[in-house]
Amino acid sequence: MQTVPQVPLLTNTRYVSGELDGVPSEYGGKRRAYTDSNIPSSVESRSMDMSREFSPYEFGDIAWKERLESWKLKQDKMQMTTTENDHAGGGGIGHDDPGQNGEAHMNTDVRGPLSRVVPIPSSRITPYRIIIVLRLIILAFFLRYRVLNPVNDAYGLWLTSVICEIWFAISWILDQFPKWLPINRETFLDRLSLRFEPEGKPSQLAAVDVFVSTVDPLKEPPLVTANTVLSILSVDYPVDKVSCYVSDDGAAMLTFETLSETSEFARKWVPFCKKFSIEPRAPEMYFSQKIDYLKDKVQPTFVKERRAMKREYEEFKVRINALVAKAHKVPEEGWTMQDGTSWPGNNTRDHPGMIQVFLGHSGGHDIEGNELPSLVYVSREKRPGFNHHKKAGAMNALVRVSGVLTNAPFFLNLDCDHYINNSKAIREAMCILMDPEVGKGVCYVQFPQRFDGIDLHDRYANHNVVFFDINLKGLDGVQGPVYVGTGCCFRRQALYGHDAPFVDTPSKDDFITRVFCGPRKKGKASKSRGSNKKIPARSDSSIPMFTLEEVEEGAEGYDDDNKSLLSQKNYEKKFGQSSVFVASTFYENGGVPQSASPSSLLKEAIYVISCGYEDKTDWGKEIGWIYGSVTEDILTGFKMHCRGWRSIYCMPTRPAFKGSAPINLSDRLHQVLRWALGSVEILLSKHCPLWYGYGGRLKWLQRLAYVNTTVYPITSLPLLAYCTLPAVCLLTGKFIIPTISNFASLWFISLFLSIFITGILEMRWSGVGVTDWWRNEQFWVIGGVSAHLFALFQGLLKVLAGIDTNFTVTAKGGDDEDFGELYIFKWTTLLIPPTSLIVVNLVGVVAGISDALNSGYQSWGPLFGKLFFAFWVIVHLYPFLKGLMGRQNRTPTIVIVWSILLASIFSLLWVRIDPFTSQTPTNQGGCGDNC
């Protein structure tokens, strides 16, 4: 692969809509204001150090070292065998030089694939598929029986239950069949190092831009963002190939000052991490680990340097805490910088674009004199009257800024609270994206999300293990996992709206795979609805193309169709009116022209983040993050899959990234509410997978997965009704199922057994534990009757009536202990439906048992079915009930009042129904007072 020179960036400068300011003096820089008229004409460029030698172990791993030692032993044995053959008079190939054989072996290893598919053993996956088919057949017969056998004396209850069960069956099919082809993957980091990091030569690994997004530093703690940035700057990857871009969509001076402090601390932290190969490389998580940190450490100076570094980090934390405390007291005139000028972002809704290069390839060095990766602060322009599209708009701004400044062919997107837990995470992604066989058609590599700070029992299924370890593994065998918003490494060209290239792969699909996943198409690409443009072929991606006129001049060798694609009008409509950015899109392997000056690139970068740049372009429609939903991640991945791209799921042994998740009940429900609202928005948009993308290259099982992703909030309506039915049945004495025969009972028993066995086999091939599986089942009910229900109505109001409704959360109290947030009660309207269901079903259980005690033993038989139904609801809502109780059963007053109110209503209803009245018919003849 050809090495693309990186752009020399101007260090310690910030452009504010064409103006350039220095770094605050308190951070070691003298403040000086520049304008367009006095921008330095030249900046010292970074010369690439070609003399640096790379050890084969420097970017490899222990496994490769052991493998090489094993190979040497084999060569010694081979040499001894050859010597014996020589003494015995042997000839021919027995006289070959063992060194040549070893070299051939290593060359074969270098040419080998960088990753491979590890299929699930047939002993585990075959029974799983068989039981799915059997469950589908049993479900068909069960629904047939339910439809053909109504309950005449409870027709309304029966009809409601049948409608719910039919929808549950459809929902199960949408969720189950995309998991038909689960696979695992294995990457070979040693081969990656051998192929792209030859000893004594510069690294040929592809450059990677890392995007970190943040909005409000008072809600997203600056120390958390700083730890994420530090883990990126110290990643195990060539420093000249990594650039970190931090998007501050709130234009907060606190974030700016935090990054300035972080860049200074990084000069000490990064060399410490790389010297001692520590994991993880986020200092807060590293120093808080409750493990033996001396394990496998042999350097005598490690303990001394670790203590010194911990002291440095504690001082760094104090400085950050001081900045946070200062930020809570906003001056009336707004924030002022060290030179006395007003902070441009004082008005968060009306401010110019800002770019600050804290660390650059030509000026960012650690305390040992080694280069550091680039660190760039970006705050896009905000003006009243413009739709800025929230996170999706901020991410698109980062795509354009990075395309102008560094233009790496790949970029990694992280939330500000997701740090790099595995320093080789980028290498794991490169094993797939840079693989000449697999990587060509891959648009992104998605890593699973793992979380710190979750309570031991994971009460509210925060780890979401079933989704990450079962559903996404299943999709990896189809067309790839959905994009989940963070921990994802993208191919830049795939996000530019191009169709995927066709990759000829040997067909190993069985009959069912071909039916559900679609055939392997060959020949001319079928055009999707999203894009009908082709990528013009380029022989050399490093040729500088700075203006559109030069691009058109280079089109003489293309046919008429490609000439029309290279026209200025088409590209301005697609990418915007920045000729520099448009030219950067022609570099398939990334990089920027060597002739570009840093000052001109920074001025162009300011232009591409102006609030009017996207007007009348394809940004947010066909290019970049797609607008139209608060879950822009699902929509963006869906568009790329429709164009024929596939994604890959990468699960290294050590989790690549870790983040934080809300462990409080109300916060967790609001998080789920936002996800469900985004799904409703997609469902009611033109991009709904029910009708979008036909005629493209989206596989059928992948479409089912996306349909399930968008329609699942609808399940809240039948789920709420179904959870109410037990209480109604207990209060009225009626039931949704008629008296059944022994033969009919077989369908009920078979259905329950198939559900149970499916869950067991699913846990068996995936490795998911029983506790995680059960917590997922419980929270499916809790979220379904609360957050999903509100999201459905809020989405309908927002899309159809234009009414945007927000649900506020108010904190009522808590504890300052470990997992203290778990016990904080925050009242929100999302708590009303599940609280009502618990109270109603408990009242129904009491009423049913009281009626049975009054009526005699003959009424206990029919009661058991109703009680089982009610307890099914209560058991699934049990974590919610514990959340209401708080620590030591201190139930909030509002819950007690609400429970008493509902209990009173249903008690009066129960008295009105009068279940204690004798059911014997009265004498029609009338007997007067003697009766």
Side-chain angles (χ1 to χ4, degrees):
M1 179 174 291
Q2 190 170 7
T3 303
V4 180
Q6 300 293 310
V7 61
L9 295 179
L10 191 60
T11 308
N12 289 338
T13 57
R14 185 186 77 254
Y15 275 93
V16 182
S17 294
E19 294 186 0
L20 188 65
D21 294 331
V23 181
S25 57
E26 60 180 309
Y27 304 126
K30 184 176 181 181
R31 195 166 278 291
R32 177 184 175 190
Y34 295 90
T35 61
D36 291 336
S37 60
N38 63 355
I39 292 177
S41 58
S42 62
V43 181
E44 182 180 356
S45 300
R46 177 187 59 84
S47 58
M48 183 177 292
D49 185 5
M50 307 294 290
S51 62
R52 181 184 175 190
E53 294 184 357
F54 292 86
S55 167
Y57 308 128
E58 183 176 356
F59 300 106
D61 52 16
I62 301 301
W64 164 240
K65 185 175 181 179
E66 294 176 352
R67 188 172 182 177
L68 189 59
E69 296 293 341
S70 175
W71 170 80
K72 288 180 179 179
L73 291 175
K74 290 181 180 179
Q75 296 309 309
D76 293 337
K77 292 181 181 180
M78 186 183 299
Q79 188 172 7
M80 293 175 61
T81 305
T82 304
T83 304
E84 293 174 358
N85 291 338
D86 288 342
H87 288 300
I93 60 174
H95 291 280
D96 289 346
D97 184 6
Q100 294 179 356
N101 291 336
E103 184 178 353
H105 175 79
M106 293 184 69
N107 288 337
T108 302
D109 198 46
V110 170
R111 291 193 298 268
L114 300 178
S115 65
R116 73 182 182 98
V117 173
V118 181
I120 306 294
S122 58
S123 60
R124 295 186 177 185
I125 197 63
T126 301
Y128 176 67
R129 291 172 177 169
I130 292 174
I131 201 65
I132 289 175
V133 175
L134 290 177
R135 180 174 171 180
L136 185 63
I137 295 173
I138 293 170
L139 186 60
F141 280 100
F142 171 80
L143 293 177
R144 178 180 178 275
Y145 171 82
R146 294 284 284 125
V147 171
L148 297 179
N149 293 272
V151 181
N152 294 323
D153 61 341
Y155 192 83
L157 297 178
W158 167 83
L159 182 62
T160 301
S161 65
V162 169
I163 294 174
C164 294
E165 289 163 1
I166 292 175
W167 178 258
F168 293 153
I170 296 173
S171 179
W172 172 76
I173 291 174
L174 294 176
D175 178 70
Q176 186 66 67
F177 279 92
K179 298 183 285 190
W180 184 267
L181 300 165
I183 59 173
N184 292 313
R185 290 187 184 272
E186 181 183 5
T187 55
F188 303 102
L189 298 178
D190 51 350
R191 294 179 182 176
L192 182 74
S193 295
L194 280 174
R195 183 175 300 180
F196 297 106
E197 295 178 308
E199 186 175 2
K201 297 181 181 180
S203 173
Q204 297 178 4
L205 289 171
V208 179
D209 294 333
V210 185
F211 299 161
V212 179
S213 57
T214 182
V215 180
D216 187 351
L218 298 181
K219 294 181 179 179
E220 299 165 331
L223 188 63
V224 173
T225 304
N227 272 271
T228 299
V229 171
L230 289 168
S231 70
I232 294 169
L233 298 178
S234 56
V235 71
D236 184 3
Y237 207 73
V239 293
D240 59 318
K241 305 287 185 178
V242 179
S243 299
C244 177
Y245 293 84
V246 179
S247 170
D248 177 19
D249 219 31
M253 191 172 179
L254 174 57
T255 303
F256 178 84
E257 292 179 330
T258 298
L259 289 182
S260 181
E261 288 283 357
T262 303
S263 65
E264 291 301 318
F265 179 71
R267 302 177 193 275
K268 304 172 184 177
W269 174 251
V270 172
F272 172 77
C273 293
K274 295 188 175 181
K275 180 178 181 179
F276 298 107
S277 301
I278 67 169
E279 297 282 1
R281 297 188 177 180
E284 182 70 24
M285 290 68 192
Y286 172 70
F287 289 120
S288 62
Q289 290 182 116
K290 298 179 180 179
I291 61 172
D292 181 12
Y293 63 85
L294 297 177
K295 186 177 181 181
D296 299 328
K297 295 295 184 293
V298 295
Q299 297 95 325
T301 61
F302 172 68
V303 175
K304 181 179 179 180
E305 293 190 34
R306 184 183 186 276
R307 288 174 181 169
M309 184 53 60
K310 186 175 183 180
R311 180 184 178 90
E312 291 283 351
Y313 177 64
E314 289 173 348
E315 293 176 355
F316 168 74
K317 287 178 65 175
V318 171
R319 292 194 297 270
I320 298 298
N321 292 338
L323 293 175
V324 174
K326 179 182 176 182
H328 283 88
K329 301 177 181 179
V330 182
E332 294 182 2
E333 65 278 5
W335 296 110
T336 304
M337 295 183 289
Q338 293 297 316
D339 61 352
T341 59
S342 178
W343 169 248
N346 279 327
N347 187 343
T348 58
R349 297 182 179 181
D350 187 4
H351 64 83
M354 294 177 283
I355 295 178
Q356 166 76 40
V357 182
F358 285 105
L359 297 173
H361 297 306
S362 61
H365 293 82
D366 60 28
I367 57 175
E368 297 179 358
N370 300 317
E371 288 186 8
L372 290 172
S374 296
L375 175 60
V376 183
Y377 169 89
V378 179
S379 182
R380 58 182 174 146
E381 183 184 19
K382 293 284 187 70
R383 300 298 180 193
F386 287 88
N387 187 351
H388 300 290
H389 301 289
K390 299 182 180 180
K391 181 182 177 180
M395 297 306 298
N396 285 337
L398 287 183
V399 172
R400 295 192 295 272
V401 168
S402 63
V404 171
L405 297 182
T406 50
N407 196 31
F410 307 105
F411 52 81
L412 171 67
N413 130 252
L414 294 174
D415 287 343
C416 65
D417 61 343
H418 273 69
Y419 65 92
I420 297 180
N421 182 65
N422 183 347
S423 62
K424 298 183 185 296
I426 297 180
R427 292 176 176 272
E428 296 278 356
M430 292 302 108
C431 282
I432 296 167
L433 293 170
M434 296 185 69
D435 191 304
E437 298 296 329
V438 178
K440 292 179 180 179
V442 176
C443 56
Y444 61 82
V445 176
Q446 178 66 62
F447 292 86
Q449 292 186 23
R450 300 294 188 237
F451 302 100
D452 290 323
I454 305 298
D455 57 293
L456 182 62
H457 301 290
D458 192 14
R459 181 185 293 178
Y460 306 124
N462 289 97
H463 285 301
N464 215 355
V465 176
V466 172
F467 175 74
F468 287 112
D469 289 17
I470 297 180
N471 293 68
L472 294 192
K473 273 187 181 180
L475 286 177
D476 199 18
V478 185
Q479 199 174 344
V482 298
Y483 168 43
V484 298
T486 184
C488 188
C489 195
F490 286 90
R491 181 183 300 277
R492 185 180 289 270
Q493 290 293 329
L495 215 61
Y496 283 166
H498 300 303
D499 284 343
F502 283 93
V503 181
D504 294 329
T505 56
S507 178
K508 298 181 181 179
D509 298 340
D510 56 17
F511 171 75
I512 297 180
T513 304
R514 291 194 299 270
V515 169
F516 288 106
C517 296
R520 302 287 187 181
K521 300 180 183 179
K522 296 182 179 180
K524 186 177 180 179
S526 60
K527 298 182 174 87
S528 67
R529 287 180 57 180
S531 173
N532 59 1
K533 299 179 176 65
K534 296 176 287 186
I535 305 175
R538 295 181 293 284
S539 58
D540 187 359
S541 62
S542 64
I543 298 176
M545 303 178 188
F546 230 84
T547 65
L548 289 174
E549 288 76 17
E550 292 174 354
V551 172
E552 291 177 346
E553 289 175 6
E556 295 178 357
Y558 300 115
D559 55 23
D560 293 337
D561 291 337
N562 284 332
K563 284 183 180 179
S564 63
L565 292 177
L566 295 174
S567 68
Q568 179 174 353
K569 183 178 179 180
N570 285 347
Y571 272 93
E572 285 185 355
K573 181 180 178 181
K574 186 174 183 180
F575 294 107
Q577 297 184 358
S578 171
S579 59
V580 177
F581 177 75
V582 171
S584 72
T585 64
F586 285 85
Y587 291 80
E588 279 188 278
N589 295 330
V592 297
Q594 294 180 345
S595 59
S597 67
S599 57
S600 63
L601 290 178
L602 286 168
K603 290 175 64 177
E604 195 70 18
I606 285 290
Y607 171 60
V608 298
I609 60 173
S610 59
C611 54
Y613 182 82
E614 295 182 354
D615 291 348
K616 299 180 181 180
T617 67
D618 286 344
W619 284 102
K621 302 172 185 174
E622 304 295 337
I623 302 174
W625 271 256
I626 306 301
Y627 304 149
S629 171
V630 294
T631 52
E632 69 288 328
D633 45 6
I634 298 294
L635 199 52
T636 301
F638 175 61
K639 292 278 284 189
M640 285 189 280
H641 282 137
C642 285
R643 297 189 184 104
W645 294 94
R646 73 153 296 138
S647 54
I648 298 294
Y649 197 46
C650 185
M651 295 182 65
T653 304
R654 179 180 179 86
F657 311 100
K658 280 190 175 183
S660 58
I663 63 174
N664 178 265
L665 175 59
S666 298
D667 294 340
R668 173 71 164 137
L669 289 178
H670 274 264
Q671 181 189 55
V672 176
L673 170 67
R674 189 182 68 84
W675 295 342
L677 176 60
S679 296
V680 174
E681 290 175 337
I682 297 174
L683 178 65
L684 301 177
S685 72
K686 69 174 184 178
H687 293 116
C688 177
L690 286 170
W691 50 73
Y692 181 86
Y694 289 97
R697 294 155 66 183
L698 185 68
K699 296 180 180 179
W700 281 98
L701 281 181
Q702 194 77 17
R703 183 178 296 278
L704 283 182
Y706 275 112
V707 170
N708 183 53
T709 303
T710 55
V711 304
Y712 75 89
I714 299 178
T715 308
S716 60
L717 293 176
L719 183 61
L720 180 65
Y722 212 68
C723 290
T724 308
L725 286 176
V728 177
C729 292
L730 287 167
L731 290 170
T732 61
K734 300 177 181 179
F735 200 39
I736 59 176
I737 300 173
T739 304
I740 58 177
S741 62
N742 292 334
F743 178 76
S745 64
L746 291 177
W747 296 122
F748 289 84
I749 297 174
S750 300
L751 181 62
F752 284 120
L753 286 176
S754 65
I755 294 173
F756 182 71
I757 296 173
T758 302
I760 292 177
L761 295 177
E762 205 165 63
M763 290 184 283
R764 184 168 177 258
W765 67 253
S766 66
V768 173
V770 176
T771 302
D772 291 321
W773 183 84
W774 175 238
R775 286 286 183 252
N776 182 78
E777 292 294 310
Q778 288 179 310
F779 198 78
W780 175 76
V781 176
I782 295 172
V785 299
S786 57
H788 299 172
L789 181 68
F790 278 77
L792 182 62
F793 287 106
Q794 185 179 356
L796 291 172
L797 290 174
K798 184 176 181 180
V799 175
L800 301 181
I803 302 174
D804 193 359
T805 306
N806 294 318
F807 300 95
T808 58
V809 182
T810 303
K812 300 299 181 183
D815 298 290
D816 295 328
E817 303 175 15
D818 290 341
F819 308 119
E821 188 181 352
L822 180 67
Y823 305 101
I824 297 176
F825 181 79
K826 301 178 182 180
W827 175 253
T828 171
T829 50
L830 296 179
L831 303 179
I832 294 177
T835 303
S836 304
L837 285 175
I838 291 176
V839 173
V840 166
N841 279 278
L842 288 176
V843 170
V845 169
V846 173
I849 295 176
S850 300
D851 186 25
L853 291 174
N854 180 69
S855 302
Y857 70 89
Q858 70 276 3
S859 62
W860 283 95
L863 179 65
F864 280 130
K866 303 172 188 177
L867 289 178
F868 175 80
F869 200 7
F871 279 119
W872 178 90
V873 176
I874 295 172
V875 168
H876 277 78
L877 293 175
Y878 177 70
F880 177 85
L881 182 61
K882 289 189 68 176
L884 293 181
M885 294 298 180
R887 191 189 293 273
Q888 299 175 353
N889 296 330
R890 293 180 296 185
T891 308
T893 305
I894 191 170
V895 176
I896 298 175
V897 173
W898 186 255
S899 302
I900 294 175
L901 178 63
L902 287 175
S904 301
I905 293 174
F906 280 92
S907 297
L908 292 173
L909 179 63
W910 180 39
V911 171
R912 178 67 180 85
I913 296 172
D914 198 9
F916 294 105
T917 302
S918 175
Q919 303 296 322
T920 56
T922 59
N923 190 348
Q924 299 296 327
C927 55
D929 295 335
N930 297 325
C931 290

